[in-house]
Amino acid sequence: MSALHDFSVAQLAAKLAAKEVSSVELAQHFLARIQSQDALGAFLATDEAQSLAQARAADARIAVGEHTPLLGVPLAHKDVFVTRDFPTTAGSKMLANYRSPFDATVVNRLGSNGAGMVSLGKLNCDEFAMGSGNDNSAYKPVQNPWDISRVPGGSSGGSAAAVAARLVPAATGTDTGGSIRQPASLSGITGIKPTYGRCSRYGMVAFASSLDQAGPMARSALDCALLLSAMAGPDLDRDSTSLDMPAADYAAELIAANTKAAGSHPLQGLRIGLPTQFFGAGCSADVLAAVRGALAELEKLGATLVDVSLPLTELSIPVYYVIAPAEASSNLSRYDGVRYGHRAAEYTDLEDMYKKSRSEGFGDEVTRRIMIGTYVLSHGYYDAYYLKAQKIRRLIAEDFQKAFTQCDIIAGPVSPTVAWKIGERSDDPVASYLADIYTLSSSLAGLPGMSVPAGFGAHGMPVGLQLIGNYFKEAQLLSTAHRFQQATDWHQRKPGAAA
Ligand code: GLN
């Protein structure tokens, strides 16, 4: 018999509805597991009393016959979503002990006032979501459950590790330049970054506002679809960039698409574009082999593979690493030690207080980005760097539209390598930046993208297949991934640490 933590979100919801288990029992089971197994460092905060209170509220709703697809199922939030019930640090000393007076919209929609999921706590991440290995967390690095000497990916590394190790059935993440897809890939789980604006950014600690987007991370596409349906949707009073489009019932669409196209070629008619630039020498052979294996499987299911080109792919790295730090330098200026955030204990005058508070509160990577961002926005350099980057950003988005005249979905690797050793890239930020090559361009274009477990590469580490859709095509991405997951079992493989 499977243990409770082996069940998916969909299965747990069914068990709750059938009263085979209560939400309180589930919360207790997972909290005990976190207590005994989280040497991985995935959680930054838990609070049994708060979680159990949320679980009792869910049980009360179930008792009066309420049926919503996620009611009573546990989850945990990346620590960049502000929460009333738990502290919020964004992985930074700057926000140590910070307690928000309100919940982020995504937290609110998933939680007691909405879908009724029960939060088990807050998940570790790179400081202010800047990083690719979760080793920029000011608190502790996170270990990859497949090999604890390796990173889980980042910046949503705590989310990925916790889901992979079955410490929680699903988690939220955020993706600015790949931070949902890359850790999902490196930790062998499923994650989707929706179209920019799909989920409200209200209450998400800001990194780069024109790129930041929330999304779900879980073991399967179906579970991601269930969460996304609750997370997405307009929030115009609070986030003016949230899309004025109602959320779809992604899980229902996925199931309907699946029923309609049953048979041996359910993906008949789907054109999958393979950008030449994603399959070059920059990608390691083990990752390419796994990705090609997954593409062959999609072909067997009826999809047609076509070659496409995204000629500006390489430029997405310099463009992103100008725009994202520029926005970050502006967003992070609010942490001045006055309104909230860390304040130095001793200082001589106001300026000294700012300087000391910010130098003490921010880690190296965040400081580096503030300096880059301030530089590219400064008088005399603005046109040469920031404005130029914005122009190329537009061209990158246009390249995708050209590609989408030849295909419905774009596919390729998520990360050029499997997870690396903790500490291996700590002294070389540029090496980390270069590894974002396959995720940055779709982020700059604002397109939805996902990572789907697609096999294993070097050292037995997981490899993700990236699927990128056109704007608002989350349902198509999720149902394609779902069919792939019905034909494969990569997403069900279990790391040693999840026993
Ligand atoms: N690795 C990228 C960076 O360091 C992406 C981070 C993210 O998506 N939050 O900026």
Side-chain angles (χ1 to χ4, degrees):
M1 217 186 80
S2 300
L4 282 176
H5 51 265
D6 287 322
F7 291 108
S8 67
V9 169
Q11 288 167 329
L12 290 175
K15 286 186 169 300
L16 283 158
K19 303 206 168 59
E20 285 172 33
V21 67
S22 72
S23 181
V24 166
E25 282 161 359
L26 279 184
Q28 280 165 337
H29 175 84
F30 280 99
L31 285 170
R33 211 172 143 71
I34 293 165
Q35 190 88 41
S36 65
Q37 313 258 337
D38 194 22
L40 296 170
F43 276 81
L44 288 179
T46 53
D47 183 333
E48 188 175 5
Q50 295 291 355
S51 298
L52 292 182
Q54 293 184 15
R56 277 194 295 273
D59 280 333
R61 284 167 68 178
I62 295 169
V64 296
E66 196 178 326
H67 286 296
T68 61
L70 296 167
L71 189 53
V73 179
L75 94 165
H77 294 291
K78 183 178 183 180
D79 206 19
V80 297
F81 291 94
V82 302
T83 45
R84 252 190 317 219
D85 290 352
F86 302 89
T88 301
T89 68
S92 180
K93 286 260 149 57
M94 187 53 102
L95 285 173
N97 306 317
Y98 173 69
R99 190 60 86 129
S100 166
F102 68 98
D103 281 331
T105 294
V106 159
V107 170
N108 199 33
R109 287 185 176 165
L110 286 168
S112 304
N113 295 325
M117 294 190 90
V118 172
S119 176
L120 300 185
K122 303 300 286 291
L123 293 161
N124 205 345
C125 57
D126 284 307
E127 184 174 7
F128 288 103
M130 298 175 191
S132 310
N134 215 123
D135 36 3
N136 294 336
S137 163
Y139 295 95
K140 50 188 170 184
V142 180
Q143 300 169 343
N144 190 315
W146 292 91
D147 173 351
I148 58 170
S149 70
R150 292 176 188 275
V151 300
S155 64
S156 312
S159 307
V163 170
R166 286 143 170 79
L167 303 181
V168 68
T172 53
T174 63
D175 191 310
T176 302
S179 279
I180 288 176
R181 291 162 285 164
Q182 188 261 17
S185 174
L186 268 44
S187 297
I189 65 161
T190 307
I192 181 166
K193 176 199 99 76
T195 307
Y196 177 77
R198 251 283 171 230
C199 295
S200 170
R201 288 184 296 108
Y202 182 69
M204 252 167 71
V205 175
F207 165 11
S209 308
S210 77
L211 293 151
D212 295 345
Q213 183 53 208
M217 301 171 77
R219 298 209 298 273
S220 68
L222 175 59
D223 285 357
C224 285
L226 286 164
L227 264 84
L228 185 59
S229 306
M231 294 166 73
D235 188 26
L236 295 162
D237 292 345
R238 298 190 178 90
D239 171 8
S240 60
T241 60
S242 83
L243 291 166
D244 193 8
M245 286 170 92
D249 186 341
Y250 297 103
E253 286 196 28
L254 172 156
I255 289 161
N258 206 50
T259 321
K260 206 168 97 202
S264 57
H265 294 110
L267 294 180
Q268 194 83 50
L270 184 79
R271 297 165 306 164
I272 298 183
L274 311 180
T276 1
Q277 294 78 2
F278 282 30
F279 290 84
C283 191
S284 65
D286 57 319
V287 170
L288 276 183
V291 167
R292 288 202 191 282
L295 293 169
E297 188 61 46
L298 290 166
E299 233 179 343
K300 263 202 255 159
L301 295 171
T304 316
L305 305 181
V306 295
D307 288 328
V308 297
S309 184
L310 295 171
L312 298 179
T313 299
E314 255 183 43
L315 285 183
S316 63
I317 296 174
V319 167
Y320 172 89
Y321 281 100
V322 167
I323 292 175
E327 294 185 14
S329 72
S330 162
N331 276 325
L332 298 181
S333 65
R334 73 189 68 177
Y335 303 101
D336 56 7
V338 177
R339 286 164 289 192
Y340 45 77
H342 170 77
R343 180 187 295 192
E346 282 171 35
Y347 44 86
T348 50
D349 56 18
L350 182 65
E351 191 153 330
D352 191 45
M353 192 268 282
Y354 286 155
K355 261 195 213 154
K356 288 211 173 97
S357 303
R358 286 171 67 81
S359 309
E360 289 169 13
F362 291 134
D364 288 350
E365 184 58 27
V366 174
T367 305
R368 183 178 297 120
R369 302 222 189 172
I370 292 173
M371 289 168 74
I372 296 171
T374 309
Y375 179 81
V376 300
L377 289 177
S378 60
H379 182 73
Y381 295 106
Y382 182 89
D383 288 6
Y385 295 106
Y386 185 70
L387 209 61
K388 185 66 137 278
Q390 291 288 24
K391 288 178 181 165
I392 303 171
R393 180 179 191 177
R394 161 64 77 84
L395 296 175
I396 289 171
E398 284 172 6
D399 273 357
F400 274 104
Q401 290 315 308
K402 276 183 219 142
F404 281 125
T405 61
Q406 293 166 266
C407 64
D408 307 296
I409 282 181
I410 289 170
V414 175
S415 163
T417 64
V418 296
W420 54 94
K421 292 264 188 192
I422 294 174
E424 198 177 293
R425 294 188 186 169
S426 302
D427 298 329
D428 189 356
V430 175
S432 293
Y433 301 171
L434 294 176
D436 292 338
I437 176 111
Y438 305 129
T439 53
L440 296 180
S441 51
S442 46
S443 286
L444 288 164
L447 293 165
M450 69 185 294
S451 178
V452 188
F456 295 86
H459 318 291
M461 296 305 288
V463 174
L465 169 75
Q466 184 171 206
L467 300 175
I468 300 168
N470 211 341
Y471 300 111
F472 322 124
K473 297 285 192 189
E474 289 84 6
Q476 185 184 41
L477 286 181
L478 288 163
S479 57
T480 304
H482 179 61
R483 284 168 192 163
F484 177 75
Q485 292 185 334
Q486 292 208 305
T488 58
D489 70 351
W490 303 119
H491 65 294
Q492 283 164 349
R493 302 294 179 92
K494 205 166 148 175

